[in-house]
Amino acid sequence: MTKTTYASKNPIFTAAAGGTIFDKFQYSSAVKAAGLIFVAGQIGLNADGSMPEKPEQQFVNAFERLKLVLEEAGGQMSDLVELVSYHVGLNTNNHLADFMKVKEKYVPAPFPTWTILGIAGLARPGLIIEIKAVAAAKN
């Protein structure tokens, strides 16, 4: 099996000490293998690395990052076959309903599978969403 790895150089992924978060934590933003594109979990920070004030903006930012990484690997949102979302505060303040409104703008039919997980926390305090995905790769 051959695989192609991607480590986005987009400035939104810049680490505080320089380089990218992919360099710092030694992982790929996406991996293409066996006819699929596996996209690492994407969080909802603003492009400048700051924390959004509103939860909905975290949802938008996470989907925008997912879309960016997927496109860099040669895919698009309509190629998604699996979506996994990790939510802090899933059962509070219309969290899931608000997430669904944003998801509808990014994930077209035919819909991928979707697993929703409520979790205690993410890598950075204040983050409430992380989305990872798998897409079908184009030949």
Side-chain angles (χ1 to χ4, degrees):
M1 173 187 77
T2 60
K3 71 178 183 178
T4 305
T5 61
Y6 301 85
S8 181
K9 300 296 183 197
N10 189 294
I12 68 169
F13 298 112
T14 300
T20 67
I21 58 172
F22 309 112
D23 300 326
K24 180 179 180 178
F25 294 106
Q26 301 178 334
Y27 72 103
S28 298
S29 54
V31 174
K32 190 183 294 187
L36 298 170
I37 302 169
F38 300 86
V39 180
Q42 300 300 313
I43 56 175
L45 292 177
N46 291 319
D48 65 1
S50 64
M51 189 71 63
E53 291 184 27
K54 297 186 178 195
E56 295 82 5
Q57 190 60 49
Q58 281 200 43
F59 303 151
V60 168
N61 292 351
F63 274 111
E64 283 293 326
R65 287 169 178 250
L66 173 65
K67 182 175 182 265
L68 172 71
V69 170
L70 185 57
E71 288 174 351
E72 287 178 343
Q76 54 192 20
M77 297 298 280
S78 61
D79 298 327
L80 291 173
V81 295
E82 179 184 40
L83 195 66
V84 179
S85 54
Y86 302 88
H87 302 258
V88 177
L90 179 62
N91 298 314
T92 60
N93 302 324
N94 293 326
H95 179 106
L96 187 56
D98 292 341
F99 181 83
M100 290 288 300
K101 288 177 190 172
V102 174
K103 179 182 168 285
E104 289 172 4
K105 295 175 184 174
Y106 287 92
V107 182
F111 302 114
T113 63
W114 180 27
T115 302
I116 308 162
L117 299 166
I119 61 172
L122 288 163
R124 183 169 164 185
L127 287 172
I128 61 168
I129 189 67
E130 185 165 335
I131 306 168
K132 64 176 261 177
V134 178
K138 293 179 174 49
N139 294 333

